[in-house]
Amino acid sequence: MADDDRSPEDEFQELLRSLMGQGGTLGPEQLEQLGAMGVDPAMLQQMMRQLQGAFAAGGDGGIDWSATRTQALHLANKDDHGIRSGDRQDFSDAFSLATLWLSEATTISDLAVPPRALTRGAWVEATLPVWQELAEPVAGSIADALTAALETQAPEEMREMIAGAGRLLRTVGGSLFAAQLGAVIGKLSQEVVSGGDVGIPVMPDGEAAILPQNFADFGRDLGIDDDQLALSLATRELAHARLFRHARWLRLHVISQVTDFARGIHVDTDALEELASRFDPSQPDELRQALESGVLLPQQSEAQAAALGRLEHLLATIEGWVDVVTADATTRLPSADRIAEAVRRRRAVGGPAEQAMASLVGLQLRPRRLREAAAMWRAITDAVGREARDGLWDYPDLMPTPADIDDPSALIGRLKAHARGEAPERDEMDDALDALLSEAASRSELPGDASEPEPVAEDTDPEGPEGPRPV
């Protein structure tokens, strides 16, 4: 194609590719082109350096999550001095004893993979896939909104060229979000004490872990013996991991509810356009601060509020069970009640997980009905025992409902009836289902229904297999 036949869009994209290939270095020819387009060379050069990696990898407009990993590991490893052999042995002993105690408190079986002590960096590596899955819907929304806002704010003579490079502009917004997510995960790695500390299943399925360096920070001001603290937290961590390994459906149930909430998020376009009007790609701090503060996320919709209520119920039900099982398993520890109260206070004020998810996707992971859920599990345990209680996790439709948390007596009554071998009481749903089945059966019996041919009576063939029958 001759130079004269190239459109402004072709020229701009060729310039971008040239800059990418040169690592963001501007030559005399590029400077002249940018000057003719009215673009600040320093600003665009910085943008090119940020985009070079993504463009070299294919530049398909997707989000490059490598920035998340790099930033998270940078913060996680900053002050991490590794795990001392003594710490590793101490937690190995704590997990071994906690395993025995849990066998007395729950019928849910032990883990197939031994629990372990993790460095902060190892925790980042283990949990990063889940964080990416949770944040991806919002990252795409922010990236698309940023692209649209920048195109709107661009001068008229630049819009055609910017539209041609929309794929790369989208990558800028996605990359900034990915880097901010990495910063949040990196800070989180400095605070979480165990794999289940987040509340949602971020660890690989069936794995339990404790972070010794953060464990020391958590217990520093409690005035509780380290051995007791390690035993209590190890028991809680194993209970959490056992539950998710036993109820295979639970992990997907939690994560799908979080991602469904996130997909309902729409970026505040007015706030973003106002930010885009003064956005300087060479100095993206203001956009990073906006992402971190959550200012770009508007108030929750009614649908999101309902989804949040369902998620909070689920988290409270999980954490309430873990609280009761841990309490039953650690009755030998003199400070068990104090440790449990410290964990509850930490959760009530908004733990690290809530801060992380609130800033990125507007989601607060606080199980607000935790005490009521724990009281329900305690009542169930006292009434029907641990086997019937733990059996409620076998299938999703057996899980306690919000009404059961308010008043567990009906649920306890059903469990007692089941233990006696009695048929469960019928409810309105059963009656409605029977009515539908009866109606369907009636329709199938109507004459002329082609869905089920009428049966042929035996010996009605006048010919028969041996010829005509005598009259």
Side-chain angles (χ1 to χ4, degrees), residues 121-144:
W123 179 87
V124 167
E125 295 279 17
T127 63
L128 197 57
V130 174
W131 290 116
Q132 177 181 328
E133 182 180 359
L134 296 178
E136 193 158 13
V138 183
S141 178
I142 288 180
D144 290 340

Side-chain angles (χ1 to χ4, degrees), residues 327-345:
D328 289 347
T330 57
T331 54
R332 300 173 180 86
L333 293 180
S335 300
D337 291 341
R338 290 180 57 200
I339 297 172
E341 186 59 32
V343 172
R344 281 192 291 267
R345 284 201 309 268

